[in-house]
Amino acid sequence: MSTPPLGLRDFIAALPREGRWLLSTVAIQLLGRGMTLPFTIIYLNEVRGFDLGLAGTLMGLIAIVGFVVTGPAGSLIDRFGARPVILGGLVCAIIGDVVLAFAATPVLAAVALCLLGVQAGVSWPAANALVASVVEGELRQRYYGVNFALINLGIGVGGVIGGLFVDVARPETFTLAFLINAATFTIPVLVLLGPLRHTHGRAARPSADEPHATASYATILRRPEVGWLVVVGVLLATLGYGQLESGFPAYSRQISEVSTRVVGFAFVVNCAVIVLAQFWVMNRVSGKRRTRVLIATALIWAFAWSIFGATGLAPGSVAAIVGVVAFQGIFFAVGETLMQSAFPALTNEMAPDHLRGRYNAINSASFQTGAIVGPILAGFLLEHGQSTMFIALMVLGCVGIAAGSIQLERRIPPAVNGVRPPEPQEPASL
């Protein structure tokens, strides 16, 4: 039986009180992040006077530190609960943004960006684990999709505001932007210390003789289904988020020869499509096998990368502009909404309650890996004139996502994969 379509009002009404409080802070928190995310490297280079190579290296600290802290964060979540881990990450983000606002030296900037990396590393596994502890069943999958839409709404609106507000000729505008970002992080802190102070996100540990009562990362990773989950996660991140701020703009400028304004507009359209399409997508993937949704993501992305690659055949043309915007703003965005509706829900259905922190940390680490590998791969190939090879590897990677999803489907029960059991039939009357 298919789930009836839900609009935003119906979805909010169906959420438990804790779920509504958690969701209420997402767009506001990301509004400040959107004001600074696209402009941090410009701030370091043009306002603070660090050379571009140093600025790029400093920016890389966020992903590196995020990767390093993800594993310990998962263990802390399982032991102490998701809420205190989120609070610790938010405090790091607040301090990091305040320090970055006044970072006149590379050392201060490095400290600030490392603190932001801590928050980036702990926030994903902790937030997903906390959501999973208060929202159950089919509603949980819908929650992850709506959460993703709100993230993009906050970043998109924040990016527009930041683009209109910050000005390298007025360094104080960057300082104010980072302070505003710090202030937006205080809102979820207040919610977690107030209305959600009793929601710890920690599951009761089973008795020692039960299966998977205790498990190290090594034990979890030896499970075949987890191994395939990691493979799919790394590929999704390498081909997806690992390219959005590296391969996509570099190919667009060097090979497709479109303006920076076109690249920026494509990002805006991407956020808009995600926000507008999320409920439409959610209502159509409800009750479907999550692995099949990931296969659909792979097929859409393969088509999108092919369209994007073709823009290099007519550089600087109207066709190239349309192809760049269509890739980022339409095809890629639809694939993202499918992925974010399926992948976090799949991870949390697979995880035993008391190991949810570790499973989400593994999920997060796989994406952090892709976010590191993706830019390196794109930079190496495009710098050496291998643009055709770059596109070919992206398409081949999409095939890998589909193949990995098929292998994963064979190793998990239908209930974990999002298939609802059939409703019992009433006996026919004689």
Side-chain angles (χ1 to χ4, degrees), residues 224-225 228-229 232 288-295 346 350 401-419:
E225 67 273 23
W228 283 109
L229 186 76
V232 173
K288 304 294 192 300
R289 293 180 186 270
R290 290 165 180 143
T291 49
R292 307 288 173 88
V293 176
L294 294 176
I295 291 171
L346 185 60
M350 190 184 298
I401 292 171
S405 299
I406 292 171
Q407 293 298 321
L408 180 59
E409 181 173 315
R410 293 172 177 171
R411 290 165 172 80
I412 56 176
V416 170
N417 208 6
V419 179

Side-chain angles (χ1 to χ4, degrees), residues 29-38 40 62 116 181 184-185:
Q29 178 182 336
L30 272 297
L31 182 70
R33 190 76 180 110
M35 288 183 64
T36 59
L37 181 64
T40 303
I62 297 177
L116 292 177
N181 192 18
T184 61
F185 282 119

Side-chain angles (χ1 to χ4, degrees), residues 160-306:
V160 172
I161 294 173
L164 296 174
F165 174 69
V166 298
D167 184 355
V168 293
R170 295 184 297 142
E172 66 275 9
T173 59
F174 284 88
T175 299
L176 183 57
F178 286 113
L179 293 178
I180 291 173
N181 192 18
T184 61
F185 282 119
T186 64
I187 296 172
V189 169
L190 294 175
V191 170
L192 289 168
L193 292 177
L196 297 181
R197 62 187 179 278
H198 301 302
T199 306
H200 51 71
R202 182 181 65 251
R205 301 187 68 83
S207 60
D209 57 346
E210 292 186 33
H212 311 299
T214 58
S216 65
Y217 279 110
T219 302
I220 295 172
L221 288 168
R222 280 197 292 268
R223 298 181 63 181
E225 67 273 23
V226 176
W228 283 109
L229 186 76
V230 170
V231 169
V232 173
V234 170
L235 288 174
L236 284 168
T238 302
L239 275 60
Y241 301 118
Q243 302 304 331
L244 293 189
E245 296 180 19
S246 56
F248 167 72
Y251 190 97
S252 297
R253 292 288 294 139
Q254 297 177 15
I255 311 301
S256 306
E257 297 182 10
V258 300
S259 67
T260 54
R261 183 173 298 179
V262 170
V263 174
F265 180 70
F267 274 103
V268 172
V269 176
N270 175 275
C271 290
V273 170
I274 289 171
V275 172
L276 295 174
Q278 191 62 63
F279 273 93
W280 181 85
V281 168
M282 281 193 317
N283 286 325
R284 279 152 184 79
V285 303
S286 176
K288 304 294 192 300
R289 293 180 186 270
R290 290 165 180 143
T291 49
R292 307 288 173 88
V293 176
L294 294 176
I295 291 171
T297 298
L299 295 176
I300 292 170
W301 279 4
F303 179 73
W305 279 111
S306 300

Side-chain angles (χ1 to χ4, degrees), residues 1-37:
M1 188 181 80
S2 61
T3 302
L6 283 181
L8 180 59
R9 184 177 300 177
D10 298 324
F11 169 76
I12 297 296
L15 283 176
R17 168 184 170 274
E18 295 86 355
R20 290 194 291 270
W21 274 112
L22 284 173
L23 203 63
S24 68
T25 65
V26 174
I28 296 173
Q29 178 182 336
L30 272 297
L31 182 70
R33 190 76 180 110
M35 288 183 64
T36 59
L37 181 64

Side-chain angles (χ1 to χ4, degrees), residues 66-82 85 121-130 132 144 201-206 212-223 225-227 229-230 343-344 346-368:
F67 179 83
V68 170
V69 303
T70 295
S75 299
L76 290 172
I77 293 165
D78 289 336
R79 183 169 184 177
F80 300 107
V85 175
V122 306
S123 63
W124 188 345
N128 281 347
L130 187 60
Y144 288 129
R202 182 181 65 251
R205 301 187 68 83
H212 311 299
T214 58
S216 65
Y217 279 110
T219 302
I220 295 172
L221 288 168
R222 280 197 292 268
R223 298 181 63 181
E225 67 273 23
V226 176
L229 186 76
V230 170
F343 200 74
L346 185 60
T347 302
N348 281 280
E349 288 294 334
M350 190 184 298
D353 289 343
H354 67 289
L355 297 176
R356 209 177 292 284
R358 287 177 173 86
Y359 272 75
N360 279 289
I362 289 170
N363 180 336
S364 179
S366 67
F367 272 72
Q368 294 279 3

